[in-house]
Amino acid sequence: MTSPGDPNEPTGPWTNGPWQQHADPHYRGPHRNVPPDGQGSEPINPPYAAPELQGGPDGASRAWSSPAGIEISAAQSLLSMVPWLFWSLVVVSWIASIVGFGYGWVIVALWLLSGVLVLVRPIELAIARHILRLRQPTIIEQQRIDPVWRQVAERARVDPARYSLWLQESDEVNAQPAPGHTIALTTWALYTLPSTHLAAVLAHEVSHHVGGRDWLSLLSFWYSIPARCALWSVRGLVKLMKAVPAVGCVVVGFLTLGYLGLLLTILIFDESFVLPLLFLTPFVAPPILAWLGRREVFQADRRAAAMGYAHTLGEVLYGWQFQHQNMSGREASRRSQLMSSTPSLADRVRALEGLTPTA
């Protein structure tokens, strides 16, 4: 028996599309090894065989509570935005100083008040399209997503109309967590996973938004844009230094001397240590922010498991790991592991196994 939108459904929207290859009744998920010539092979079962969490009368896990209100972890996540907000204020103040502090503070005030604009839904949609570079699903893709999304929204106890689903052109399992009411889904997940596994991925994605995270993340992202633009400029200078060493070294050396001079001035004349510490955040904050990002991924997995998707999410991660797409595993360097905001698939699976009762 197939569910609405299931790729094995004969009359489903994927009958003549890329999902037709999964019509095999023995298909067991993305870990199945299908040779390019179409010859069948025995499905490869992952060692993850723990049962699903028991669901309540409404189909959701008994461990899942209502996401209404602001969770403590959501309020704590604002701490990770302190460096971004501080450097955004530095960038905006620098622009204001160029204009002249007589009228420059108007720019700072307007930037601080502009956070109200992102609470308007059209502005949020424009951010998803033009800044996050997401795209809206086509009609066929929407028909595929809708029944699965309604099931996940019911288990998560959220209004499905409150959020908008977008697609990220990516070959990864999970999309980058989008701020606000935007839920991003990768094209790999949409075109590769069966409905049950797609629901587990959506449960993970919506877990990034519950507990007051939607509007908190949107405001944090908006106020971090000036600092992110400055970071992109620094990365551009690094590329220039590699491409044209003579010019790049002069520019980078000049900026480095200016930064060190400003830091030394603050250390000498500032009586507190708060401001100097904030100016040192470019050297201290990256590994801390990466650790907080990994922690948020684990929390989203736990929320998805509490909804009853522990087993299927584990299968998805095993299938992804089988395809040798784990970019932060043992083969990665120590530095890349430390600076990665996404934990390794093995760590995520072990965490899920610890949440799931053994058979």
Side-chain angles (χ1 to χ4, degrees):
M1 182 175 180
T2 59
S3 59
D6 196 299
N8 297 326
E9 185 181 1
T11 59
W14 300 95
T15 304
N16 298 322
W19 272 89
Q20 192 175 9
Q21 59 179 324
H22 297 325
D24 185 353
H26 299 291
Y27 174 73
R28 296 180 183 271
H31 50 270
R32 177 181 172 87
N33 187 11
V34 182
D37 58 1
Q39 299 296 326
S41 62
E42 291 298 324
I44 300 175
N45 296 324
Y48 190 92
E52 290 281 6
L53 296 180
Q54 297 298 321
D58 57 352
S61 169
R62 294 189 183 96
W64 177 247
S65 60
S66 175
I70 300 177
E71 297 180 1
I72 297 178
S73 59
Q76 291 177 343
S77 65
L78 284 177
L79 295 177
S80 64
M81 296 307 301
V82 171
W84 290 110
L85 297 177
F86 169 74
W87 282 103
S88 291
L89 182 59
V90 170
V91 172
V92 175
S93 299
W94 175 72
I95 297 175
S97 66
I98 295 177
V99 176
F101 284 104
Y103 297 95
W105 291 112
V106 177
I107 297 177
V108 178
L110 291 177
W111 173 70
L112 293 175
L113 295 175
S114 65
V116 180
L117 295 177
V118 297
L119 302 179
V120 180
R121 197 58 179 267
I123 302 296
E124 183 178 351
L125 299 179
I127 291 175
R129 181 185 301 276
H130 300 292
I131 298 181
L132 302 179
R133 305 303 296 271
L134 304 176
R135 69 171 179 87
Q136 291 181 318
T138 63
I139 295 177
I140 300 299
E141 291 169 341
Q142 195 69 47
Q143 291 176 357
R144 167 71 179 136
I145 297 172
D146 279 346
V148 182
W149 167 236
R150 286 196 296 268
Q151 178 196 36
V152 173
E154 181 180 358
R155 287 201 177 193
R157 300 179 185 178
V158 298
D159 182 9
R162 177 181 175 85
Y163 300 93
S164 59
L165 273 67
W166 295 71
L167 290 181
Q168 176 184 336
E169 299 288 347
S170 174
D171 293 330
E172 298 184 3
V173 177
N174 299 118
Q176 292 295 325
H181 303 89
T182 300
I183 295 180
L185 186 68
T186 64
T187 51
W188 182 90
L190 177 64
Y191 282 93
T192 306
L193 302 179
S195 296
T196 53
H197 290 178
L198 183 62
V201 173
L202 277 173
H204 172 92
E205 299 300 339
V206 76
S207 295
H208 285 289
H209 296 264
V210 297
R213 288 173 178 80
D214 42 16
W215 61 273
L216 289 177
S217 61
L218 185 59
L219 288 174
S220 298
F221 176 81
W222 176 258
Y223 284 121
S224 69
I225 289 179
R228 294 179 188 274
C229 292
L231 179 60
W232 293 335
S233 301
V234 171
R235 290 176 177 174
L237 290 175
V238 172
K239 292 181 180 180
L240 176 63
M241 184 176 61
K242 294 180 179 179
V244 187
V247 178
C249 289
V250 171
V251 175
V252 173
F254 175 77
L255 293 177
T256 302
L257 288 176
Y259 176 80
L260 293 177
L262 179 62
L263 180 60
L264 182 61
T265 302
I266 294 174
L267 287 174
I268 294 175
F269 296 101
D270 193 271
E271 298 180 354
S272 66
F273 291 97
V274 176
L275 195 57
L277 288 176
L278 288 175
F279 270 93
L280 291 175
T281 51
F283 307 100
V284 180
I288 298 177
L289 294 177
W291 175 80
L292 290 174
R294 293 193 297 270
R295 183 173 179 270
E296 176 59 28
V297 172
F298 284 127
Q299 289 179 340
D301 285 343
R302 285 195 293 269
R303 297 184 198 104
M307 297 178 201
Y309 294 103
H311 176 52
T312 49
L313 184 58
E315 286 183 339
V316 171
L317 297 178
Y318 262 117
W320 182 247
Q321 191 175 34
F322 178 77
Q323 295 187 16
H324 306 288
Q325 299 293 333
N326 188 3
M327 302 305 294
S328 56
R330 290 186 177 182
E331 71 279 3
S333 64
R334 290 280 187 178
R335 181 181 181 278
S336 61
Q337 292 182 19
L338 180 65
M339 302 302 293
S340 175
S341 60
T342 304
S344 68
L345 299 180
D347 291 338
R348 293 178 63 183
V349 171
R350 281 195 295 268
L352 286 172
E353 288 174 337
L355 296 173
T356 313
T358 57

